[in-house]
Amino acid sequence: MGTPLDYGYKNYNHYGAYLRNKYDGQRVYKIIADAGFTCPNRDGSKGYGGCTYCNVDSFTPELSRKLPTIKEQIEQGMARAVKNYRAEKFIIYFQPNTNTYAPTHYLKMLYDEALSINTENIVGLSVGTRPDCIDFEKVALLESYADRFDVDIEMGMESIYDDTLSKINRGCTHQELVNALHLADSSKIDICVHTIFGFPWETHEMMLKYADEVNRFPQIKFVKLHHLHIVKGSIMGSRFAKEPFKTFTIDEYTDFIAEFIPLLRPDIVLQRLFGLADFDLLIAPNWGMKKSQIQSYIDKRLEEKGVVQGSAYCESAVL
């Protein structure tokens, strides 16, 4: 007999199961749209050079980097998803850089265009941004789509510590994330935050505290867990070449999230368990495995360890 994992059951609230349940078993695939935005931490509004770990090409698929229009990106992305993954429904995902960093009327034009392509098969809109580029007007715009589509805002929490945010040249504070989360109080919009584990000055105990901070915001529906990876073209990559520091091995990282996941509220949906960068840009840590292999390895280890999301969650600890 196989294990529950062999039959697709995981002891954490994972995104694949969430999508299957929400959309009656249909195959739902995210289509990345690159609208050519920059970032206030790159163009001088907040700073220059961006966050020290960031090379935007490291998380933007080559297809979307080369296509000139939103329409072409989405049409070709959908065709590829149907061919390779038998996708049936789509979530339009504005991912690279800061996708609310423009006047609201311009954002509406972009979102409208993206959602008008094969509309009958689009079920969602996901917008990646920074917490300091969200305001009431932009929340209202995104809410205007929520009667027709599932809408979420994805924001980088990265770390809960202002000292870390300063060291990585984040250009905003943790309080600015908290303020952005409060803008979504009682909103139809879902919130996704992502975290980065492995900054060398943060201890094991400091990183586990991220769970308490995530738990205290009922607005947070989705979380992406990332491990720190060092990529070419980033400030951190240049520094790492001169002064290397320890990064997670795959076993160390799995052991860490095996402690972290039980601390999370059981209703939170985990969209990712690890970060990913193109092999040609990745400096460290290189686990020598493809995405699917990493996912399978981590899932198997979590099952062997008996990890259950929320098993160590204490509601009183976050009140």
Side-chain angles (χ1 to χ4, degrees):
M1 292 181 63
T3 67
L5 185 59
D6 293 328
Y7 296 96
Y9 297 103
K10 303 180 184 183
N11 285 335
Y12 62 89
N13 197 5
H14 67 102
Y15 193 49
Y18 167 83
L19 291 176
R20 286 194 298 273
N21 291 335
K22 185 171 183 62
Y23 300 111
D24 299 322
Q26 295 180 96
R27 294 175 180 269
V28 181
Y29 195 80
K30 281 189 173 181
I31 305 299
I32 293 176
D34 184 346
F37 285 104
T38 183
C39 169
N41 205 19
R42 286 179 176 271
D43 69 359
S45 175
K46 284 289 189 76
Y48 295 97
C51 302
T52 60
Y53 57 82
C54 182
N55 173 344
V56 70
D57 285 350
S58 70
F59 55 79
T60 309
E62 185 178 1
L63 180 67
S64 63
R65 288 200 295 265
K66 289 184 174 180
L67 292 175
T69 70
I70 295 294
K71 185 175 187 292
E72 288 174 312
Q73 290 178 52
I74 292 175
E75 287 180 341
Q76 293 190 30
M78 285 180 174
R80 179 173 173 270
V82 170
K83 178 181 178 181
N84 295 344
Y85 306 103
R86 293 181 292 159
E88 299 168 277
K89 299 293 180 181
F90 307 100
I91 297 169
I92 306 302
Y93 181 23
F94 284 86
Q95 182 196 37
N97 284 303
T98 306
N99 293 276
T100 60
Y101 189 40
T104 305
H105 66 86
Y106 180 75
L107 297 176
K108 184 177 189 306
M109 179 187 70
L110 286 176
Y111 303 156
D112 285 351
E113 178 185 3
L115 295 170
S116 69
I117 302 164
N118 195 11
T119 299
E120 65 274 15
N121 289 318
I122 295 174
V123 296
L125 171 66
S126 180
V127 177
T129 189
R130 289 166 54 96
D132 54 355
C133 292
I134 290 291
D135 55 37
F136 281 112
E137 196 174 74
K138 289 166 185 174
V139 169
L141 170 63
L142 290 167
E143 284 181 328
S144 72
Y145 298 104
D147 289 336
R148 293 168 288 156
F149 307 99
D150 291 319
V151 180
D152 72 79
I153 302 174
E154 182 179 310
M155 294 183 285
M157 174 181 282
E158 318 309 15
S159 173
I160 65 174
Y161 303 106
D162 282 340
D163 179 62
T164 292
L165 298 177
S166 176
K167 285 179 178 178
I168 64 175
N169 193 39
R170 182 69 177 142
C172 64
T173 64
H174 183 63
Q175 184 60 46
E176 286 175 286
L177 173 70
V178 173
N179 294 344
L181 290 172
H182 285 314
L183 289 176
D185 285 346
S186 303
S187 174
K188 298 177 182 178
I189 300 171
D190 295 323
I191 300 294
C192 175
V193 298
H194 47 81
T195 65
I196 298 177
F197 299 121
F199 294 116
W201 50 84
E202 290 191 3
T203 66
H204 185 88
E205 292 72 22
M206 288 172 71
M207 291 187 290
L208 289 177
K209 288 292 185 183
Y210 287 29
D212 289 343
E213 186 67 357
V214 170
N215 289 338
R216 77 184 184 98
F217 294 100
Q219 304 94 318
I220 297 177
K221 182 169 184 173
F222 304 114
V223 172
K224 290 183 175 180
L225 308 180
H226 293 190
H227 66 287
L228 177 65
H229 47 253
I230 315 301
V231 295
K232 298 174 184 176
S234 69
I235 297 170
M236 191 174 286
S238 298
R239 292 175 180 170
F240 186 85
K242 298 175 183 177
E243 297 182 22
F245 55 83
K246 181 171 173 46
T247 57
F248 278 115
T249 67
I250 189 169
D251 287 325
E252 290 169 340
Y253 184 66
T254 303
D255 288 343
F256 172 76
I257 61 172
E259 290 185 64
F260 187 84
I261 290 173
L263 297 171
L264 281 178
R265 288 195 332 255
D267 63 287
I268 290 172
V269 179
L270 292 172
Q271 289 197 11
R272 281 189 188 172
L273 296 186
F274 55 92
L276 201 66
D278 291 342
F279 277 125
D280 61 339
L281 292 173
L282 181 63
I283 299 173
N286 187 344
W287 294 339
M289 303 165 74
K290 296 179 180 178
K291 178 182 177 181
S292 59
Q293 294 172 319
I294 297 172
Q295 185 71 59
S296 296
Y297 185 87
I298 291 177
D299 280 340
K300 185 176 180 180
R301 287 286 309 279
L302 293 178
E303 183 180 61
E304 290 170 351
K305 289 173 173 289
V307 171
V308 177
Q309 182 177 340
S311 60
Y313 166 63
C314 179
E315 187 172 5
S316 62
V318 298
L319 294 179

